Amino acid sequence: MTSIDLAKRGKDSGFSPGQTSFGRVKARGVLLAVLGIALLLDASCRRQPMTEQSLFPASNEVAGWAKTGDIRTFEAADLWKYIDGEAERYLKAGVQRVSTADYKFQNKVDAVVDIYTMGNAEGAETILRSEPTVDVKPIQLGDDARLHSQSLVFREGACLVRIVAFEESPETQQALLQLGHGIELRLAR
């Protein structure tokens, strides 16, 4: 074969003179690998740093507290399904979603934890300031917090956390504070 025949044959096959089919396959493999890595990196960069699972302490992560159900999440558009009648106040403050989970303290006190993710810290502050202040103990937790006899409300950045116990006992407030600190640690991650 002459060099003219080789050049013609190379044009017909899509290969350059001197390029083998093995080299072409190897180049495609490298290209596909680079593309795959780029897609994985892009997906991981878009991932939210906090997931609903990561916000809620696991059972016994906070002494005496056990998570008793699945985490439920309601986006802003569906907030009325969870807090009908109060949703508008949260929507005006820029709520994005609420995630909620049930807990039990020492098999005696049932409680619910709601974590509202707001668009910014000002939205969380707006909701906290609109809370009743009668019989409230100001405490050091998050950016601002209020402790009632059966509930604890605090904000940490753009998150507003509400923990409500359904029974009152001598240890309820202390237990709520412990669970609140557990959640605060998770929000700080």
Side-chain angles (χ1 to χ4, degrees), residues 169-183:
S169 71
E171 66 252 347
T172 299
Q173 284 188 328
Q174 187 59 38
L176 291 173
L177 279 172
Q178 289 172 337
L179 185 55
H181 283 293
I183 294 167

Side-chain angles (χ1 to χ4, degrees), residues 24 57 88 99 106 115 122 128 134 137 143 146 149 151 171 179:
R24 182 84 172 186
E88 191 61 35
S99 296
Q106 296 180 344
I115 301 176
E122 291 78 28
L128 184 62
V134 177
K137 251 192 231 181
D143 296 323
R146 297 191 179 139
S149 63
S151 68
E171 66 252 347
L179 185 55

Side-chain angles (χ1 to χ4, degrees), residues 4-126:
I4 295 172
D5 289 334
L6 283 173
K8 183 176 187 262
R9 193 169 165 185
K11 277 186 181 176
D12 292 342
S13 67
F15 294 102
S16 316
Q19 186 178 16
T20 64
S21 63
F22 176 75
R24 182 84 172 186
V25 169
K26 186 176 175 184
R28 282 187 183 158
V30 170
L31 181 63
L32 286 173
V34 169
L35 181 60
I37 290 169
L39 288 172
L40 285 173
L41 287 174
D42 181 53
S44 68
C45 288
R46 284 193 223 183
R47 195 174 308 149
Q48 294 289 333
M50 292 189 299
T51 64
E52 285 76 18
Q53 292 289 338
S54 71
L55 299 178
F56 292 89
S59 290
N60 295 315
E61 186 177 323
V62 176
W65 285 99
K67 193 155 77 67
T68 59
D70 293 332
I71 297 168
R72 300 164 312 277
T73 299
F74 300 86
E75 297 298 323
D78 295 325
L79 190 60
W80 62 271
K81 293 178 182 177
Y82 183 61
I83 56 169
D84 193 19
E86 288 286 313
E88 191 61 35
R89 179 169 70 116
Y90 285 84
L91 291 170
K92 285 180 182 175
V95 70
Q96 294 175 342
R97 77 188 60 78
V98 61
S99 296
T100 182
D102 297 323
Y103 282 84
K104 192 170 203 97
F105 179 68
Q106 296 180 344
N107 282 330
K108 294 186 267 183
V109 178
D110 290 305
V112 65
V113 175
D114 295 335
I115 301 176
Y116 294 87
T117 303
M118 309 300 281
N120 54 44
E122 291 78 28
E125 185 176 1
T126 297

